[in-house]
Amino acid sequence: MQTKLSKNSVIDWRDRFNEAYNTQRVSDDPNTDMVTDIPLWRNRTRWLSYNSPLAKAPIQNVSTLTVGQGFCLNPRPDVENPEKVIRNLFRLYDSWQNVVSIDGQTDGPSVLRQICTAMFRDGDVLVSIVQDNDQFRLNLIDATKIQTPPKEYLGKDLCYMGVVVKSKVIKGYWVKSDSTTKPWKFYPC
C-alpha cells in the first residue's frame, strides 16, 4: 500500500534543523545574543557535521590539511655530542607518538585531527596533559562539558561558562564529569 504525500507533508531537512534548535532573541545587542547562544550554535554545528556531508567535508579537509603527518621535530641541542641527543630525542618522540591519548589507543596525528575537528566544529577544545607511568598523554575534553559549577565550588573567582577569570587572566576551566563522587574537576592553566 502506497501512502500519498501532499506537498506540505514532506519535511525538509532545514525545517527539522530549525525545529530542533529554536532560536530566540534575548536582546537587541548582538554580543549578548551571541554569548547566550553559544550552546545553540555548538549544537547546530555538531548536528550539521554529523548529518550533512556538505558540512562534514570541509571540517575533515581542514583538519587533515592542518595536521598532515603530525608534529615534526627539528631539535638543535647545544651540547658536545648533538647527534646522540638528537637520536635519543627522536627515539623517545617516536615511542610517544605511537600512543598519545589517555586511552592508550590513539596515535599522535589522529589525536591532532580530533583536536582540530573539535576546534572547527565546537569552537573550543580543552586538552589536558596527564602523566601516565613516566609518559605524558593527552586527554581531550568535550567542550560541552565545560560549564559553571554550583557556587560551593567557585570561591571568590569570577566564572563564566566554566572559564575562571581573575584580573582579566584565564586561571582555568571547570569541567562536569560523569562521576557521582566527584562531579566537577578544575583544570588550571
Side-chain angles (χ1 to χ4, degrees), residues 11-71:
I11 297 176
D12 190 25
W13 71 269
R14 291 179 297 259
D15 294 333
R16 271 210 220 145
F17 178 74
N18 289 329
E19 286 173 15
Y21 303 103
N22 188 15
T23 305
Q24 296 177 356
R25 299 230 23 198
V26 175
S27 71
D28 290 330
D29 178 27
N31 291 334
T32 305
D33 281 344
M34 185 113 137
V35 168
T36 54
D37 287 344
I38 286 175
L40 171 84
W41 292 114
R42 275 194 189 131
N43 287 339
R44 282 185 173 181
T45 308
R46 200 171 264 198
W47 187 90
L48 279 171
S49 69
Y50 291 141
N51 295 303
S52 170
L54 291 174
K56 186 178 187 175
I59 293 173
Q60 282 181 333
N61 286 342
V62 170
S63 295
T64 302
L65 292 173
T66 302
V67 173
Q69 296 298 316
F71 290 121

Side-chain angles (χ1 to χ4, degrees), residues 94-101 103-108 135-137:
D94 287 341
S95 68
W96 177 77
Q97 181 82 347
N98 290 333
V99 181
V100 173
S101 67
D103 63 6
Q105 298 178 1
T106 313
D107 66 345
Q135 288 280 335
F136 289 101
R137 303 280 183 227

Side-chain angles (χ1 to χ4, degrees), residues 71 96 100-103 107-108 110-120 122-131 136-146 172-175 185-189:
F71 290 121
W96 177 77
V100 173
S101 67
I102 193 75
D103 63 6
D107 66 345
S110 298
V111 168
L112 289 175
R113 276 192 280 290
Q114 289 173 358
I115 291 170
C116 286
T117 300
M119 189 65 197
F120 297 132
D122 300 332
D124 288 318
V125 64
L126 182 62
V127 180
S128 68
I129 300 173
V130 180
Q131 189 168 359
F136 289 101
R137 303 280 183 227
L138 300 180
N139 183 19
L140 273 63
I141 298 169
D142 187 6
T144 58
K145 292 188 176 202
I146 302 172
Y173 301 88
W174 280 101
V175 176
K185 183 167 182 181
F186 183 72
Y187 290 88
C189 290

